Amino acid sequence: MFAGLPELGISNGDDLKETLTNCPDPLKAIDQFQMENGILLPTLQSALPFLDLHGTPRLEFHQSVFDELRENLMERVAVIAEGKEADRYSKLEELLEKSFPLVKMPSIQPVVMQVLKHLPKVPEKKLKIVMADKELYKVCAVEVKRQIWQDNQALFGDEVSPLLKQYIVEKEAALFSNDVSVLHSFFSPSPKTRRQGEVVLKLTQMIGKNVKLYDMFTWCLDACIRERFVDGKRARELQGFLDGVKKGQEQVLGDLSMILCDPFACNTLVLSIMRNLQELLSQDALPRDSPDLMLLLRMLSLGQGAWDMIDSQVFKEPRLDLEVVTRFLPAMMSVVVDDNIFTVEQKLPSEEKSSQVYPTLLPDAFYRYLQENRVACEMGLYYIFHIAKLRNKNALQRLLPSLVDTYNDMAFGDIFLHLLTGHLTLLSDEFGSEDFCSVVFDNFLLTSFSSKENVHRHILRMLLHLHHKVAPSYMESLIKTLEPPKQSSEQLKELYTKLMEKLEAHKKSSPVLEEKPSLDLGLHAVTVSTTTSSAPTTPF
C-alpha cells in the first residue's frame, strides 16, 4: 500500500516497525515519528491536543487535510494544463517525476492519473509501465490510452471490439424490428440522433482527434448525408477532390471508400442518382450527358469496392463499367416510359384506346446487369422502393420476379428486405388479391426463405402487420409454408408464435356475419357505366 515512499525519502510502515523494535523508549520514538512525518506546520502543534480532547483521532484529521490538499492539487494540474504558459507541460512532467513512484498508492493515484491525462505526450517509459500493469491501465484516462493504442493496435482492438459487437447487435435489432413502416425505417433516424447513441459516443471519445480523417473532404460528405442529397455544388467539390488525388496520395482513396461504403452514405448517393435520373427524363436527356450523374456513379462504385481495396491494399479507383450508363440505365428508364405510356393509354376515351395490356417482360439489359453488376443492382433495388412508394402495383408485379437472381443475392440482404417490407405496407389493400400475393411471395420472397433464415424472418415481420389484409385462403397456405423447422433460431420461432397469436386474436375479434333474408323490393336493376381505373404513373 505504501510502495514508493522510500524512493521519495518518506518513511513508511517498515521504517516505523524498525524504529519501535530498536528504540529504548517507544513512546518517545512515536512522538518523534509523528513530528517528522506529520503536517509540517508549527502553529498546528498546539491545536492537535485540542482535537484530542474532543475525541477526534489524529488519523481522521490528517486524512481530511490530505483529501482537501489532493483535490486542490488535481484542480491546479487542470488549470496549469489549460493555461497558456510556455513551460506548463514541463511543470507537469516535473510533478509526474515526483509523484509517479506512488502511482500504485490508492490515495495518491488520482493525482498521478490527472497529470498523465493532461500531458499531450507521456514519457515512453511511463506509458510502458501503465500498459504492463492491468490495474493501472484500467484506471487511466482515455487520453492516456490513446497514446498507448497508437503503437499497440491489438490492445485497441480488444477495447473497441465489445463496442463494435454492441453496435452490430443494435443495428440488427433495428433491421428486424417489429415496427414495419415506411415512416420508421433503418435510415429514418437523423445523423444527429445517430451520433448521440451510446456506442457512437464511446467510440468517438476513444478515437478523439488523433485519427480525424482529411478535413478537406469529410465535412462535405457529412453535409450531403445530413441532407440525404448530393447537390450540384457539393458534387463539383467532391469531383475536384477525386480528380486531385496525386501520385503518392492514393491511400486517401481507401479512407474515402470506407466512408462511402457506409449504408447511410450509400443511401444518400443512390437517392441522389434517382433524383438525377428524374431530371434527365423531364429533359429528354441521356444518362451519359450528365456529369453529376457520372460522379455519383463513380462514388457509388468507390464505396462498393472499399473492402476489395482494403484487403488488397491496392488503392486505385475502381473502373466504372460504362455499359451501366449506356445500357442498364436506359433500360431502366424505358421501364418508366412503358409505365407512363400505359397510364396515358388508360386515361384516353374508350373509343381511342388500343388493346394494349400492361407489359410483363423486362429488357434483357435490365435482367443481366442486376445479376452481373453491383452498381446497377443497387440502383435497380432502389427503383423498386420508388415504385412501391408510389403504390404502383403494375410496375411492382412486373419487377419483383426479376430480383430472384441478383448480384451477390443483394435482393435478399437485410437492409433491402427491411426497406421493402416497410414500403409494401403502402400497398396493404392489394394483398387481398391472390395474384398480387403470388407475385410478392411465390415469385420472390418464398424462392429463398428455406435457405435464408433472414428472409423467413422478414416475411414474418411483414405478416405481423398485414395478416388481416392477406386473402384468407392464401394466408392459410402461407402459415403452413412458413412454419419454422426444428433447427431454426429462437427469434424465428418467436416471430411465428406471435403471428399465430395475432391470427387467433383477429379470428376471435372478427364478427360472424349472420345470413339475413333478402330484401327484394321488386326494383329493376340499373346499369351504371364505369371507366377503367388508371394505374399510378412512375415518374422519378
Side-chain angles (χ1 to χ4, degrees):
M1 182 176 180
F2 299 107
L5 287 176
E7 295 179 37
L8 301 177
I10 301 173
S11 301
N12 61 8
D14 292 335
D15 296 319
L16 178 59
K17 181 180 178 181
E18 185 178 348
T19 299
L20 292 174
T21 302
N22 301 322
C23 71
D25 186 350
L27 291 178
K28 188 176 180 181
I30 290 173
D31 286 338
Q32 183 66 27
F33 188 88
Q34 288 178 332
M35 184 70 69
E36 292 175 355
N37 295 285
I39 299 174
L40 302 178
L41 190 62
T43 56
L44 183 64
Q45 299 305 316
S46 58
L48 287 176
F50 182 72
L51 292 173
D52 295 338
L53 291 173
H54 283 77
T56 303
R58 295 285 178 90
L59 174 62
E60 184 180 323
F61 167 72
H62 281 85
Q63 187 65 52
S64 65
V65 174
F66 178 86
D67 291 343
E68 185 72 21
L69 290 173
R70 181 181 59 198
E71 293 306 313
N72 288 340
L73 179 56
M74 291 177 67
E75 289 177 11
R76 182 62 183 152
V77 168
V79 169
I80 292 173
E82 293 166 6
K84 296 182 179 179
E85 293 84 357
D87 63 341
R88 62 187 185 279
Y89 293 130
S90 61
K91 287 180 181 178
L92 294 182
E93 287 173 358
E94 186 180 347
L95 180 58
L96 180 65
E97 286 298 322
K98 291 180 178 179
S99 61
F100 196 81
L102 306 178
V103 70
K104 303 202 75 171
M105 185 184 294
S107 56
I108 298 293
Q109 191 178 83
V111 176
V112 183
M113 290 303 170
Q114 179 80 333
V115 177
L116 289 171
K117 174 183 176 180
H118 286 94
L119 274 175
K121 179 132 182 86
V122 177
E124 189 68 26
K125 186 178 179 182
K126 305 289 191 299
L127 275 183
K128 287 183 178 178
I129 293 173
V130 172
M131 183 176 68
D133 191 302
K134 289 183 179 179
E135 292 303 316
L136 289 180
Y137 175 79
K138 186 177 179 181
V139 298
C140 73
V142 70
E143 290 85 353
V144 182
K145 287 182 177 178
R146 281 191 208 123
Q147 298 185 46
I148 293 173
W149 294 334
Q150 284 180 344
D151 297 317
N152 196 313
Q153 292 184 1
L155 201 56
F156 177 69
D158 292 341
E159 287 267 351
V160 84
S161 182
L163 287 175
L164 294 177
K165 287 178 182 176
Q166 184 183 342
Y167 184 81
I168 291 169
V169 167
E170 289 176 3
K171 291 303 176 187
E172 284 182 347
L175 287 173
F176 287 103
S177 166
N178 288 341
D179 187 4
V180 181
S181 166
V182 72
L183 299 175
H184 300 95
S185 74
F186 182 76
F187 293 116
S188 293
S190 67
K192 183 178 180 181
T193 303
R194 295 197 302 272
R195 291 190 191 105
Q196 290 172 345
E198 178 189 359
V199 175
V200 175
L201 286 175
K202 286 181 179 177
L203 284 171
T204 51
Q205 183 190 18
M206 290 174 69
I207 294 170
K209 297 181 181 179
N210 284 25
V211 290
K212 193 172 183 180
L213 296 175
Y214 306 102
D215 286 336
M216 72 187 84
F217 65 81
T218 51
W219 68 269
C220 185
L221 281 173
D222 186 63
C224 294
I225 293 171
R226 277 202 308 272
E227 297 168 15
R228 293 185 171 94
F229 177 59
V230 181
D231 62 25
K233 180 183 177 183
R234 292 197 177 106
R236 287 187 289 275
E237 290 171 355
L238 292 167
Q239 173 105 35
F241 174 79
L242 267 181
D243 295 339
V245 176
K246 299 176 181 177
K247 190 173 183 180
Q249 299 177 337
E250 293 88 354
Q251 192 164 350
V252 73
L253 290 173
D255 299 321
L256 181 58
S257 70
M258 290 303 292
I259 295 170
L260 293 174
C261 81
D262 172 78
F264 293 91
C266 179
N267 180 60
T268 299
L269 290 174
V270 185
L271 289 177
S272 300
I273 288 170
M274 290 298 163
R275 191 177 297 187
N276 194 284
L277 290 174
Q278 178 181 348
E279 292 174 0
L280 291 173
L281 273 172
S282 66
Q283 299 165 5
D284 291 332
L286 293 173
R288 62 189 175 199
D289 296 330
S290 170
D292 287 353
L293 176 63
M294 296 301 294
L295 170 68
L296 291 167
L297 292 172
R298 283 176 65 189
M299 293 175 68
L300 183 60
S301 178
L302 184 60
Q304 291 177 340
W307 289 108
D308 292 337
M309 193 181 298
I310 298 303
D311 289 342
S312 66
Q313 290 293 291
V314 176
F315 300 103
K316 185 178 180 181
E317 184 180 344
R319 178 180 169 273
L320 175 66
D321 186 349
L322 288 180
E323 288 199 354
V324 170
V325 182
T326 59
R327 302 199 62 185
F328 171 75
L329 286 180
M332 190 168 82
M333 294 168 80
S334 74
V335 174
V336 180
V337 173
D338 286 345
D339 189 71
N340 290 343
I341 291 173
F342 180 80
T343 301
V344 172
E345 173 78 15
Q346 296 305 302
K347 292 179 179 178
L348 292 174
S350 56
E351 63 271 13
E352 296 181 23
K353 285 182 181 178
S354 66
S355 58
Q356 181 180 349
V357 295
Y358 193 87
T360 55
L361 298 178
L362 288 167
D364 289 340
F366 188 86
Y367 269 122
R368 183 161 63 88
Y369 280 92
L370 280 183
Q371 298 169 12
E372 297 177 3
N373 187 280
R374 180 162 186 168
V375 172
C377 187
E378 193 81 60
M379 289 186 287
L381 296 184
Y382 269 77
Y383 177 58
I384 300 290
F385 301 148
H386 171 72
I387 60 173
K389 200 167 186 177
L390 292 172
R391 297 174 172 83
N392 191 330
K393 181 185 74 170
N394 286 328
L396 203 59
Q397 290 183 152
R398 181 185 185 188
L399 286 162
L400 275 179
S402 69
L403 303 184
V404 171
D405 187 11
T406 53
Y407 182 90
N408 204 26
D409 275 348
M410 286 171 64
F412 295 114
D414 287 326
I415 291 180
F416 174 73
L417 291 177
H418 167 89
L419 295 173
L420 178 66
T421 51
H423 281 75
L424 286 175
T425 59
L426 297 173
L427 294 101
S428 58
D429 290 337
E430 302 296 344
F431 283 86
S433 161
E434 290 202 8
D435 288 342
F436 185 76
C437 287
S438 181
V439 171
V440 173
F441 294 104
D442 299 333
N443 295 352
F444 176 48
L445 291 173
L446 294 180
T447 60
S448 69
F449 87 104
S450 59
S451 60
K452 298 180 186 296
E453 186 175 292
N454 71 308
V455 180
H456 200 156
R457 288 177 67 182
H458 284 291
I459 296 173
L460 293 175
R461 284 177 59 247
M462 184 171 68
L463 289 176
L464 279 172
H465 290 259
L466 296 176
H467 63 88
H468 59 291
K469 295 285 189 177
V470 178
S473 58
Y474 195 88
M475 190 68 203
E476 187 177 340
S477 172
L478 267 181
I479 287 300
K480 293 177 183 176
T481 304
L482 293 171
E483 184 175 359
K486 291 181 179 179
Q487 69 272 20
S488 58
S489 69
E490 290 303 315
Q491 294 98 322
L492 181 62
K493 292 176 182 175
E494 184 181 340
L495 272 175
Y496 186 78
T497 301
K498 283 184 180 177
L499 178 59
M500 294 302 291
E501 290 171 353
K502 278 208 167 190
L503 286 171
E504 189 63 29
H506 179 69
K507 187 177 179 182
K508 290 179 180 178
S509 65
S510 299
V512 179
L513 297 175
E514 297 181 2
E515 190 173 336
K516 296 184 179 179
S518 173
L519 298 177
D520 187 0
L521 301 180
L523 299 175
H524 297 288
V526 178
T527 304
V528 180
S529 62
T530 60
T531 55
T532 307
S533 61
S534 61
T537 184
T538 314
F540 273 117

